[in-house]
Amino acid sequence: MDTYNLTVLKYFILTGITDLPELEVPLFGLFLIVYMISVVGNLGLIILTKIDSRLKTPMYFFLRQLSFTDLGYSTAVGPKMLINFVIDQPTISYNWCSIQLTFFSVFITTEVFVLSAMAYDRYVAICHPLLYTIIMSQRLCHVLVTIPYLYSIFISLLTITKIFISSFCGNNIIRHFYCDSLPLISLLCSDTHEIKLIILIFATFNLVSSLLVISISYILILITIFRMNSSEGRHKAFSTCGSHLTVIVIFYGTLFFMYAQPKSSHSFETGQMASVFYTLVIPMLNPMIYSLRNKEVKQAIHRKWKMCVNILLKL
């Protein structure tokens, strides 16, 4: 039995998104386009907010971090998922499975707190505009990003180490298109109560604490907006929050849909589609939302595009 277990632990078999061979080519093409748009969009925002002198505010610093986390967790999952569409048996090695899960967990957890930091940034900008540059100092911005990364690395390594030092049974089939904690836990032979409890505690803390910061920030923002006498000021305040609110609704709405849906015969397929949405589609949508709804980003894109055209014309 020990020899058998050692053999199967060398790799896992991923069931993927669909069992229908006729859908594999269309899905491969669709998700390849989605992933490439996500990479181009997020890399573009990272570069744009780094090189454009007018986008050096804390708001765009956090937007750059959001794009980086989007790029991080979508890249942890996307390329391997695409490769699995074109091979006969989609497998992932034991070591790569742990690496994929680690990077995915770190980036997705960090994104939750980056969204919270962005909400706090909007609160300071609208409720305390005269003190904005003092409160949202460069040091504070870096602290608001560094602490989530350190925390995410800690809890990811803790839970993933707990999973991979446990004993796996003979079954090495993961009912998912990437290595995720819960499908892996279902393959363990040893007692999983402690691991599930750790995941539950940290997941609850992450969601509750981040949503608390976001909720309080926007309640105070709304109070401030309704106290404004100028309709133009209210419109400007709402417009600065529009992109962030849209991203929050999509991100948290997808998470709640995934984990609040009733257990049914269709919950597995529905969960797969929801997983695809938040691992690939949301990272594609975020740069689009900020590019289309944000006037300063659109102006920066226009300036850089015009500059590139002028350089090409001079060649």
Side-chain angles (χ1 to χ4, degrees), residues 48-290:
L48 187 67
T49 55
K50 191 71 177 174
I51 65 174
D52 195 288
S53 59
R54 302 185 191 182
L55 302 181
K56 295 294 184 180
T57 63
M59 174 182 172
Y60 295 107
F61 170 78
F62 290 121
L63 177 56
R64 184 162 64 249
Q65 302 307 317
L66 180 69
S67 293
F68 185 72
T69 55
D70 280 338
L71 188 63
Y73 72 78
S74 63
T75 300
V77 173
K80 181 60 180 174
M81 184 192 74
L82 291 170
I83 290 170
N84 287 341
F85 273 118
V86 296
I87 59 177
D88 293 331
Q89 189 178 46
T91 61
I92 186 167
S93 69
Y94 177 83
N95 291 332
W96 177 246
C97 182
S98 63
I99 293 170
Q100 183 186 59
L101 180 55
T102 301
F103 276 95
F104 178 79
S105 300
V106 168
F107 284 116
I108 199 74
T109 305
T110 302
E111 175 146 330
V112 169
F113 293 103
V114 169
L115 289 171
S116 302
M118 295 175 81
Y120 177 71
D121 172 70
R122 292 299 83 208
Y123 154 73
V124 177
I126 294 171
C127 300
H128 304 285
L130 299 178
L131 300 174
Y132 179 67
T133 54
I134 298 172
I135 296 173
M136 298 304 296
S137 63
Q138 190 177 40
R139 181 181 178 182
L140 179 62
C141 290
H142 283 100
V143 167
L144 290 176
V145 170
T146 303
I147 291 177
Y149 268 109
L150 294 176
Y151 167 77
S152 301
I153 291 169
F154 168 72
I155 64 169
S156 298
L157 291 178
L158 175 64
T159 54
I160 293 164
T161 302
K162 285 280 187 183
I163 292 172
F164 281 90
I165 63 172
S166 301
S167 301
F168 284 88
C169 300
N171 183 15
N172 66 336
I173 299 175
I174 299 175
R175 297 190 68 205
H176 216 336
F177 60 91
Y178 69 96
C179 285
D180 199 6
S181 300
L182 296 181
L184 278 169
I185 289 172
S186 67
L187 303 181
L188 297 178
C189 286
S190 53
D191 182 30
T192 60
H193 176 74
E194 183 184 358
I195 300 173
K196 288 180 179 178
L197 184 61
I198 291 171
I199 292 174
L200 178 63
I201 291 171
F202 282 121
T204 304
F205 172 77
N206 296 344
L207 288 175
V208 172
S209 60
S210 61
L211 280 176
L212 191 62
V213 172
I214 292 169
S215 301
I216 292 173
S217 297
Y218 275 103
I219 288 171
L220 295 173
I221 287 171
L222 285 174
I223 292 171
T224 301
I225 289 174
F226 287 130
R227 285 178 178 173
M228 292 178 178
N229 296 322
S230 168
S231 59
E232 184 181 348
R234 286 196 294 269
H235 175 73
K236 185 178 179 182
F238 273 122
S239 65
T240 60
C241 300
S243 300
H244 183 244
L245 276 173
T246 304
V247 169
I248 285 173
V249 169
I250 294 173
F251 183 80
Y252 284 98
T254 305
L255 290 181
F256 280 122
F257 175 79
M258 281 183 63
Y259 296 108
Q261 61 174 319
K263 298 291 182 181
S264 66
S265 57
H266 303 289
S267 62
F268 174 71
E269 290 77 11
T270 307
Q272 289 282 73
M273 289 300 103
S275 296
V276 169
F277 191 81
Y278 88 82
T279 54
L280 290 179
V281 179
I282 288 179
M284 177 193 71
L285 292 177
N286 286 350
M288 289 183 176
I289 292 168
Y290 275 98

